[in-house]
Amino acid sequence: MDNKKLLVDTLELIHKLDASVERYKGRGEQGELLTDDTFMDDMVEDGIAWKLHFIGTYLTRTSEEFKMKHQDLSWNLIAAIPYLVSYEYKFGKRPVWSLCYETLPDIKEKVISILKEEYGIDSGNK
């Protein structure tokens, strides 16, 4: 898969994730859901975790040349995202919300910038 397609797919997932997160209100200090429906909270968090998993997976599939050119992206953290959301639950709550609120905005901004500068795609902020 080429880098452009991976970036476009990543940005599409980020936009979907943003929309999912915005749909749910009532968050705690760490952004976690605070509702009366624990089952629904878990389902929402699982859906967000999977989107994060695929965002990390897509970006790590970019070429080594691309990664060398864009060293401003935190490649080690990006590579760790699938692990963090899939396996860290053994040690407590998965870091889904911190990734959403602290890590993802920077990744999103950089992906948008790369798509615009290198591929002429003005994807904007949906």
Side-chain angles (χ1 to χ4, degrees):
M1 197 174 282
D2 72 321
N3 295 328
K4 178 181 171 184
K5 172 88 170 114
L6 289 166
L7 292 172
V8 168
D9 290 350
T10 296
L11 189 58
E12 182 179 323
L13 270 175
I14 290 172
H15 288 311
K16 286 180 181 180
L17 190 146
D18 285 346
S20 296
V21 169
E22 284 305 310
R23 256 186 234 123
Y24 296 93
K25 304 298 179 199
R27 295 183 199 2
E29 291 178 18
Q30 302 300 315
E32 72 277 11
L33 296 174
L34 298 174
T35 68
D36 294 334
D37 190 344
T38 304
F39 178 72
M40 182 58 79
D41 292 352
D42 289 343
M43 284 181 48
V44 170
E45 185 174 316
D46 287 347
I48 290 169
W50 274 110
K51 285 179 179 82
L52 286 166
H53 182 279
F54 283 110
I55 289 166
T57 300
Y58 288 169
L59 287 175
T60 56
R61 290 183 181 166
T62 56
S63 69
E64 290 304 315
E65 179 182 318
F66 179 86
K67 291 174 188 161
M68 292 301 293
K69 184 175 180 182
H70 298 286
Q71 293 184 19
D72 55 326
L73 280 163
S74 303
W75 293 109
N76 289 336
L77 177 58
I78 290 168
I81 289 173
Y83 169 79
L84 291 170
V85 298
S86 298
Y87 301 106
E88 284 296 310
Y89 68 89
K90 293 178 184 176
F91 308 106
K93 198 88 165 160
R94 288 178 296 196
V96 169
W97 302 110
S98 63
L99 288 169
C100 279
Y101 293 118
E102 297 167 19
T103 305
L104 204 57
D106 184 53
I107 292 172
K108 178 181 178 181
E109 180 182 312
K110 288 176 180 165
V111 167
I112 288 171
S113 176
I114 293 167
L115 283 170
K116 185 175 184 175
E117 291 170 15
E118 291 192 20
Y119 302 105
I121 298 173
D122 188 9
S123 52
N125 291 321
K126 288 185 181 178

